[in-house]
Amino acid sequence: MTFAIHGLAVAHGIAIGRAVLVASSRVDVAHYFLDASQVANEIDRVRRGRNAVAEEIHRLQHSISLMGPKDTPHELKALLDVHLMLLQDEELIEGVKHWIKDRLYNAEWALTTQLEVIGRQFDEMEDEYLRERKSDLEQITERVLRAMQGEAAPAIPVARVARKTSQADLLLDDTVDVPLVLVAHELSPSDMLQFKQGVFAGFVTDVGGKTSHTAIVARSMDIPAVVGARTASQLIRQDDWLIIDGDAGVVIVDPSPIILAEYGFKQRQVELDRGRLSRLLNTPAVTLDGQKVELLANIEMPDDAPAAVRAGAVGVGLFRSEFLFMGRHGKLPDEEEQYRAYRQAVEGMQGLPVTIRTVDVGADKPMGSPYKEESQLNPALGLRAIRWSLADPAMFVTQLRAILRAAAHGPVHMLVPMLAHLSEIRQTLALVEQARAELKRDGLPFGPIELGAMIEIPAAALMLKTFLKYFDFLSIGTNDLIQYTLAIDRADESVAHLYDPLHPAVLRLVAETIAECNAQGKSVSVCGEMAGDVSVTRLLLGLGLRSFSMHPAQILAVKQEVLRADTSQLRGWAESVLQADDPQAFMGS
Ligand code: PEP
Ligand code: MG
């Protein structure tokens, strides 16, 4: 039966494929496709993993049998019997084989997929005792996964997600070449990163807001995604056919052939539009009245740099360095590792400037480690970004040294997130000086940097003169600026309807920042999601913005807006939008 689930549209495009449900706790399992020649070995790997766990259980049963009846915990004996039974369960064994043989999933992926399938059946059981056996199944799966650790088959670069566009293709070939859509309750930004190589053609999550970092990474992957779809992971079943409409924020489950045909058509339309936009690649971004506009890329990892150049970026306006720190169980990258990463980004940009933002962990970018106490009470207002860095000066200086060293290889700008206090500015500058002095002392080469601050807390936007005394440039982080101006958690889908980039208060802070920088001849850009949103490009141009930093995938669409704009005409209109009680109403005029 066809039905639709509504969520938030976060990454443009249409994906049609089969659902792969992944439990949040199991996202860190490797997901890759096997080569047909690896299938037998992979099935054997699961068998060996199961046997190892079965042996462990047998050993335990044996030691229990040696105890006297009084010392034998009855529950433990029964539990071991249940575990052994589950381990030998036909449905588990055959299901895992199916995913490996017919879908070419690697063993860990196959095992966790089958766990999801059987887990659902347990959830639906009337009998409470049987329902609770689900946790036993999870435990033995976990043990098998652990037993298999260290002998994974080599991952084949994933090229299998052929983007089939016609409905006929999809219906004819129902096996390995069908695109897959990941469905999860929640995905962390670092979980998303591990899917960057393209295993999945689309994403759906139950939670998350439009500018949550999970959504941001999905957009940077240029893969249709819907977040905040509430009950999606409960309503969708493993292997269901899904259509993800990343523009409308809709997930259609089990679509009828007519709906499939309709969306197949839309999908081709998106491809055609992309093709048309690609003609703008080498066109300079200049408005009709001759204003040059800088279109920069936001990147998460150093190896995103070449793609940014290919997309036509004239530099990196935001390298979110925190992605180097996340998903590592608290083991922070040392100076050498960071230096190599920053240098790789700098070299990847082939002489174009790279703006490296100092680490911005916390809030919805958890480190996932006990390394430092992460603020639990209200993480968005807690120890995140520069506060986190200043709380550990040695760690911060390590990063500053690495950035300064990378600056010896090409133009580097350093950007500091979440500043609000003069004391933070002074401490930051002092630590940058310290890092320079140390490098000099150690005889390590380093380069000049321009130093910038993010304007993403209203307090910062209200003390621009102070900021401009200390910094070479400013970059407006609209994602957080909106969050903190409107007191809306950007990652919380239940208040997503109140997250409004066109709120008069937000616009005023953005406009004043641009105007003050322009008046003082300091450069200013927007690096939040507003920069890549074509519906506000004209407004930002009218407010005087000439530098936009966004996901590479958005660059050409924004360029198209720039090429059609005449800033001399937009200025007056932008001013009236700014003065309006309801700016949205003025946007179309
Ligand atoms: C922002 O807040 O707008 C920004 C660019 O930083 P991040 O999204 O990483 O918080
Ligand atoms: Mg921010």
Side-chain angles (χ1 to χ4, degrees), residues 357 360 384 456 480 490:
R357 179 173 70 184
D360 182 5
R384 61 166 290 203
E456 50 185 351
D480 278 317
R490 60 194 268 192

Coordinates of all heavy atoms in Angstrom, one line a residue, residues 357 360 384 456 480 490, ligand 2:
R357 N 38.4 26.7 9.6 CA 37.8 27.1 10.9 C 38.3 26.2 12.0 O 38.4 25.0 11.9 CB 36.3 26.9 10.8 CG 35.6 27.3 12.1 CD 34.1 27.3 12.0 NE 33.6 26.0 12.0 CZ 32.3 25.7 11.8 NH1 31.5 26.7 11.7 NH2 31.9 24.5 11.7
D360 N 35.1 23.1 15.9 CA 33.8 23.6 16.4 C 33.0 22.3 16.8 O 32.0 22.0 16.1 CB 33.1 24.4 15.3 CG 31.7 24.9 15.7 OD1 31.3 24.7 16.9 OD2 31.0 25.5 14.9
R384 N 31.1 24.5 23.7 CA 31.3 24.1 22.3 C 32.2 25.2 21.6 O 32.4 26.2 22.1 CB 30.0 24.0 21.5 CG 29.1 25.2 21.4 CD 28.0 25.0 20.4 NE 28.5 25.0 19.0 CZ 27.7 25.4 17.9 NH1 26.5 25.7 18.1 NH2 28.3 25.4 16.7
E456 N 28.1 34.5 14.7 CA 27.0 33.5 14.8 C 26.3 33.6 16.1 O 25.4 32.8 16.4 CB 27.5 32.1 14.5 CG 28.7 31.7 15.2 CD 29.2 30.3 14.7 OE1 28.5 29.6 13.9 OE2 30.3 29.9 15.1
D480 N 23.8 29.2 13.1 CA 23.8 29.4 14.5 C 23.2 30.8 14.8 O 22.5 30.9 15.9 CB 25.2 29.3 15.1 CG 25.5 27.8 15.4 OD1 24.6 27.1 15.9 OD2 26.6 27.4 15.0
R490 N 18.5 24.2 16.3 CA 18.5 24.0 14.8 C 18.4 22.5 14.5 O 18.1 22.1 13.4 CB 19.8 24.5 14.2 CG 21.0 24.0 14.8 CD 22.3 24.7 14.4 NE 22.9 24.2 13.2 CZ 24.2 24.6 12.8 NH1 24.9 25.5 13.6 NH2 24.7 24.1 11.8
Ligands
MG2 MG 28.0 27.6 13.5

